[in-house]
Amino acid sequence: MAAAKKAVLGPLVGAVDQGTSSTRFLVFNSKTAELLSHHQVEIKQEFPREGWVEQDPKEILQSVYECIEKTCEKLGQLNIDISNIKAIGVSNQRETTVVWDKLTGEPLYNAVAAPVSPGPSDPVAVVPSGSSVPAAGTSSVWLDLRTQSTVENLSKRIPGNNNFVKSKTGLPLSTYFSAVKLRWLLDNVRKVQRAVEEDRALFGTIDSWLIWSLTGGANGGVHCTDVTNASRTMLFNIHSLEWDKELCEFFEIPMKILPNVRSSSEIYGLMKAGALEGVPISGCLGDQSAALVGQMCFQDGQAKNTYGTGCFLLCNTGRKCVFSEHGLLTTVAYKLGRDKPVYYALEGSVAIAGAVIRWLRDNLGIIQTSEEIEKLAKEVGTSYGCYFVPAFSGLYAPYWEPSARGIICGLTQFTNKCHIAFAALEAVCFQTREILDAMNRDCGIPLSHLQVDGGMTNNKILMQLQADILYIPVVKPSMPETTALGAAMAAGAAEGVGVWSLEPEDLSAVTMERFEPQINAEESEIRYSTWKKAVMKSVGWVTTQSSESGKNVFIILAALPSMLNNLFKYLTIYT
């Protein structure tokens, strides 16, 4: 029997989408933006201590290879020739920090993440900052809080009237960004210190680690990053688009370990192994910038909100840096070509969005699967005056308040798990409203609608709540994979590839689902003002004080345990 004829679809583009909880590889038709196939692999997070979040860089790399191989197999089963894949883009969790040995290709420590909830653990903990570190072999993820004392020490060295860190980077001094994680590794991990001394160490965010490894690793791998990822390190000058000598000296980071900074759309190198050997890697964007591109927010004032582990709201401010007076970050949105202009964005982040659903599932056992939250919320249609502030690792934009911790308030004997589920969904929407209000004040032009994407947007109750609380329409594309799509668009449009046009007239029209506000403006404002009152009650739970030995100790003074005992009692009685 003759072999089945391979389908001819025109040029295809692949995208690696590497996030905090999973890695995916997706393949798109560059002419229609249609998603043809994909594969996903879950990634483990490690919590060696309260507030510490790590991932294994080798596991992340292996997951990328596995996703590429499995997706290519699926394309073969669909009779699609993988030789049509002309380029690969990379989108990645930002800020997560990796240091590796350029001679062996081995990570010198786990990837250290940026701060989100540390997962199931005792809510009352005392963590000395100077104790021994866990075994090597991890990366510092974006959710990690171990650098709080590092930040406090550094902040004392910034003159009150000259915050040169923020003026150069657009970022506040925070545990969130890569520079302080790298500083922690240099201070605490002997393998990293020795590798720097012996000129063997390379630093990068996840994109750098992947591109270096995929293009050859120790055998000629390309050590680079793009402007969007570089702008999240606190070492990068967003005006000159270069690593900043003064910042590197301030954080005491040797510039020789930093990657070369490139645009978000150019050929960095070729795949050196696997089913796609020889295919150029030609797109690179931090995940939130990738989603902005994938949502086609190319005009000043266009904004998108991505609902994942956290929420990230970005507003394109065009070719000018807009510095926020309301707690938002100024960041690089994209630079789609070596000779193309750089575009900037204002960004507000909600640390806990999807993570609050996971917490209800894993820590409280209210739900068995994340999808059940919609069913519970639908049963009651209200929180019945219950408000949930999920500040598990402090409050991010617009507050930047590390002393805050999570609270559930407004409980009565009538409150049951359905009301708490509803309050958890409302919390995501209220936090988004706070960021949008700040953005409107900074830009001076209120948004007429909000474009949304991310896994949580499948929850129709959440999307309707968001429209009600913002009191503007919420617009969701029918093709939800906007982050991967953005990386694919950047890769396909790169000079030397040229299979994806980013000209407005050539961009494929995307069908949208629209959610209109269904409550009156007065009710929306009353609910929002009560939320603000709850937020104020969450502040001030954590204090930092010196112990007799002079080491910083974090003491979490949470009322959570007794509250949870009462909560479980009510859940048992009333559900």
Side-chain angles (χ1 to χ4, degrees), residues 59-127:
E59 181 191 358
I60 291 172
L61 177 60
Q62 186 52 45
S63 71
V64 171
Y65 279 120
E66 182 180 342
C67 287
I68 290 173
E69 297 301 315
K70 294 291 187 185
T71 303
C72 288
E73 287 175 16
K74 291 177 182 179
L75 289 171
Q77 291 163 8
L78 294 170
N79 250 12
I80 296 171
D81 192 341
I82 63 171
S83 68
N84 286 325
I85 298 176
K86 303 302 182 187
I88 295 169
V90 175
S91 165
N92 58 286
Q93 52 170 309
R94 304 168 301 169
E95 295 99 17
T96 295
T97 299
V98 191
V99 180
W100 66 95
D101 188 318
K102 67 183 178 184
L103 301 183
T104 65
E106 290 293 312
L108 296 166
Y109 190 77
N110 278 337
V112 180
V116 143
S117 171
S121 59
D122 188 332
V124 179
V126 179
V127 185

Side-chain angles (χ1 to χ4, degrees), residues 502-571:
L502 299 183
E503 295 302 319
E505 63 272 16
D506 296 328
L507 292 173
S508 305
V510 178
T511 56
M512 301 282 189
E513 186 175 3
R514 192 176 176 94
F515 297 84
E516 300 281 349
Q518 291 183 355
I519 64 174
N520 62 50
E522 185 182 7
E523 182 185 346
S524 180
E525 288 305 315
I526 289 170
R527 283 159 67 176
Y528 184 48
S529 64
T530 310
W531 158 263
K532 293 284 230 184
K533 191 161 63 171
V535 168
M536 288 303 102
K537 293 185 184 300
S538 76
V539 173
W541 286 109
V542 181
T543 61
T544 304
Q545 63 184 37
S546 296
S547 65
E548 290 180 9
S549 63
K551 294 176 180 176
N552 285 327
V553 178
F554 298 112
I555 305 174
I556 301 177
L557 307 168
L560 202 53
S562 58
M563 189 182 78
L564 288 181
N565 286 336
N566 292 332
L567 178 58
F568 281 128
K569 193 185 340 176
Y570 292 140
L571 293 177

Side-chain angles (χ1 to χ4, degrees), residues 413-464:
Q413 287 190 316
F414 181 70
T415 307
N416 64 35
K417 64 182 181 181
C418 297
H419 299 115
I420 291 168
F422 196 95
L425 294 181
E426 277 192 319
V428 176
C429 301
F430 285 130
Q431 291 176 99
T432 298
R433 164 82 186 263
E434 289 182 316
I435 293 171
L436 199 63
D437 282 358
M439 213 164 262
N440 286 340
R441 289 195 295 271
D442 283 325
C443 293
I445 307 169
L447 282 183
S448 59
H449 67 277
L450 180 65
Q451 293 174 231
V452 300
D453 57 72
M456 290 187 79
T457 60
N458 293 325
N459 186 321
K460 291 186 183 298
I461 287 185
L462 177 70
M463 292 296 95
Q464 186 56 57

Side-chain angles (χ1 to χ4, degrees), residues 68-392:
I68 290 173
E69 297 301 315
K70 294 291 187 185
T71 303
C72 288
E73 287 175 16
K74 291 177 182 179
L75 289 171
Q77 291 163 8
L78 294 170
N79 250 12
I80 296 171
D81 192 341
I82 63 171
S83 68
N84 286 325
I85 298 176
K86 303 302 182 187
I88 295 169
V90 175
S91 165
N92 58 286
Q93 52 170 309
R94 304 168 301 169
E95 295 99 17
T96 295
T97 299
V98 191
V99 180
W100 66 95
D101 188 318
K102 67 183 178 184
L103 301 183
T104 65
E106 290 293 312
L108 296 166
Y109 190 77
N110 278 337
V112 180
V116 143
S117 171
S121 59
D122 188 332
V124 179
V126 179
V127 185
S129 67
S131 356
S132 59
V133 298
T138 319
S139 69
S140 275
V141 286
W142 66 275
L143 311 171
D144 191 277
L145 287 176
R146 77 188 70 189
T147 54
Q148 185 63 44
S149 60
T150 306
V151 168
E152 289 168 2
N153 291 332
L154 287 166
S155 66
K156 293 169 187 170
R157 294 167 44 199
I158 297 179
N161 61 349
N162 179 26
N163 190 342
F164 66 94
V165 174
K166 187 168 185 184
S167 64
K168 286 170 180 273
T169 68
L171 310 173
L173 190 59
S174 167
T175 59
Y176 194 82
F177 306 107
S178 309
V180 289
K181 301 178 196 305
L182 180 52
R183 182 66 259 151
W184 185 92
L185 290 169
L186 290 166
D187 288 339
N188 292 278
V189 182
R190 182 61 190 135
K191 284 178 74 172
V192 172
Q193 295 165 357
R194 193 178 301 120
V196 170
E197 291 162 6
E198 297 172 2
D199 201 23
R200 293 183 287 110
L202 295 178
F203 153 79
T205 42
I206 293 295
D207 57 304
S208 297
W209 163 244
L210 292 179
I211 292 172
W212 184 83
S213 300
L214 295 172
T215 57
N219 298 311
V222 178
H223 187 213
C224 69
T225 188
D226 91 300
V227 289
T228 67
N229 282 293
S231 75
R232 309 296 291 189
T233 61
M234 264 194 322
L235 301 171
F236 184 72
N237 188 313
I238 61 174
H239 310 286
S240 65
L241 303 182
E242 296 172 328
W243 298 121
D244 190 280
K245 191 170 184 291
E246 184 184 13
L247 290 169
C248 290
E249 288 173 353
F250 174 72
F251 289 103
E252 299 179 84
I253 303 297
M255 296 183 76
K256 65 184 180 182
I257 71 174
L258 304 178
N260 292 319
V261 183
R262 312 274 286 271
S263 77
S264 309
S265 178
E266 61 178 276
I267 296 174
Y268 312 113
L270 307 180
M271 289 283 291
K272 285 298 195 296
L276 298 181
E277 183 177 353
V279 175
I281 300 174
S282 54
C284 180
L285 290 154
D287 51 8
Q288 302 315 317
S289 288
L292 194 73
V293 171
Q295 287 268 28
M296 301 175 203
C297 294
F298 294 127
Q299 303 301 314
D300 292 18
Q302 286 188 300
K304 68 88 202 171
N305 196 26
T306 298
Y307 298 76
T309 302
C311 270
F312 296 90
L313 204 160
L314 264 71
C315 179
N316 189 333
T317 62
R319 294 165 69 172
K320 61 183 181 297
C321 277
V322 174
F323 280 86
S324 174
E325 295 179 6
H326 302 95
L328 303 182
L329 310 179
T330 303
T331 196
V332 174
Y334 51 80
K335 185 179 188 292
L336 295 173
R338 245 182 300 209
D339 302 321
K340 298 290 169 106
V342 63
Y343 282 75
Y344 295 94
L346 277 174
E347 173 175 332
S349 54
V350 173
I352 306 294
V356 75
I357 313 303
R358 198 175 307 128
W359 186 81
L360 291 176
R361 183 193 70 193
D362 298 343
N363 291 40
L364 291 195
I366 284 179
I367 52 176
Q368 298 302 309
T369 66
S370 297
E371 291 71 31
E372 285 177 40
I373 191 94
E374 186 171 9
K375 182 176 171 226
L376 284 184
K378 193 173 184 179
E379 281 183 34
V380 287
T382 175
S383 66
Y384 197 71
C386 173
Y387 285 79
F388 187 168
V389 182
F392 297 152

